[in-house]
């Protein structure tokens, strides 16, 4: 297995069921990745050392999923120049707290915030592929095929639900 290009980080093992959706997409595109649990609040030193070491160990994009007062993506972004993509996760406040905590970053420390939950996790992985595709032409071809299949599925759904004349 080649060295991971994408690091998926999440605040708790309770986030795994959602964040695995990102891993599945990366797997489909054949992108090596790693999964790490580290919490901005419960294990801040672990988060800091992950972010500081990420570029040197070969990571090119970080995806961070956290729920509630979600500061994981922002703290990672404060300690690395790698692009950080955030996935706000569900919470007792239906993920809106996570969403706002992640979205409104101060100027100078960007985080690309996805939608809440599984769709956000999948989109985070696709965005990571798009970033990597700038360098790898093989990924550009796979992305075009992925979009073609998306459109084809919509066409199939349309045909399935149209009343037969
Ligand atoms: C966040 O708190 C985690 O990302 C998780 O979404 C949430 C709850 O964590 P657990 O109490 O389930 O460990 O930091």
């Amino acid at each position: 297995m080649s060295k991971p290009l994408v690091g998926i980080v999440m605040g708790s093992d309770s986030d795994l069921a959602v964040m695995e959706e990102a891993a599945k997409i990366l797997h489909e595109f054949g992108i090596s990745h790693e999964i790490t649990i580290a919490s901005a609040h419960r294990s801040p030193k672990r988060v800091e050392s992950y972010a500081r070491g990420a570029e040197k160990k070969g990571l090119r994009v970080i995806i961070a999923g956290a729920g509630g007062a979600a500061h994981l993506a922002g703290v990672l972004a404060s300690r690395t120049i790698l692009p950080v993509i955030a996935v706000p996760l569900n919470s007792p406040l239906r993920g809106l707290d996570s969403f706002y905590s992640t979205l409104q970053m101060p100027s100078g420390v960007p985080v690309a915030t996805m939608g809440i939950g599984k769709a956000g996790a999948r989109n985070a992985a696709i965005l990571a592929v798009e970033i990597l595709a700038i360098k790898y032409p093989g990924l550009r071809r796979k992305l075009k095929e992925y979009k073609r299949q998306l459109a084809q599925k919509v066409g199939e759904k349309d045909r399935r639900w149209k009343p037969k004349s």
Side-chain angles (χ1 to χ4, degrees):
M1 187 77 175
S2 51
K3 280 204 291 186
L5 288 174
V6 178
I8 301 175
V9 190
M10 63 200 84
S12 172
D13 58 351
S14 61
D15 301 327
L16 253 174
V18 174
M19 295 309 293
E20 267 173 358
E21 295 296 316
K24 279 187 214 162
I25 297 271
L26 294 174
H27 184 72
E28 270 177 42
F29 279 89
I31 293 174
S32 50
H33 54 278
E34 62 173 28
I35 294 179
T36 302
I37 296 173
S39 162
H41 303 120
R42 293 168 175 158
S43 63
K45 284 189 182 152
R46 188 170 162 74
V47 172
E48 173 156 19
S49 98
Y50 185 89
R52 284 196 187 282
E55 193 188 348
K56 198 164 178 203
K57 74 174 167 182
L59 294 180
R60 291 297 170 256
V61 184
I62 296 176
I63 295 173
H71 297 134
L72 180 60
V75 171
L76 286 165
S78 74
R79 291 285 190 264
T80 179
I81 59 153
L82 295 177
V84 175
I85 306 172
V87 184
L89 299 177
N90 216 342
S91 68
L93 300 181
R94 301 172 70 190
L96 273 183
D97 44 352
S98 336
F99 179 66
Y100 288 134
S101 305
T102 305
L103 183 69
Q104 202 57 43
M105 289 295 293
S107 158
V109 190
V111 160
T113 301
M114 302 292 102
I116 299 165
K118 286 190 177 181
R122 291 187 200 113
N123 281 345
I126 294 164
L127 183 56
V129 178
E130 289 175 353
I131 292 168
L132 294 169
I134 294 167
K135 182 171 175 193
Y136 301 105
L139 286 181
R140 288 206 285 281
R141 281 192 290 277
K142 284 185 185 176
L143 278 166
K144 283 174 189 163
E145 174 56 19
Y146 180 80
K147 302 265 180 187
R148 194 193 64 74
Q149 286 182 18
L150 277 185
Q152 183 181 325
K153 282 177 197 157
V154 174
E156 284 164 11
K157 284 177 188 171
D158 181 56
R159 282 190 290 282
R160 204 173 309 140
W161 290 105
K162 276 232 163 83
K164 308 261 181 312
S165 54

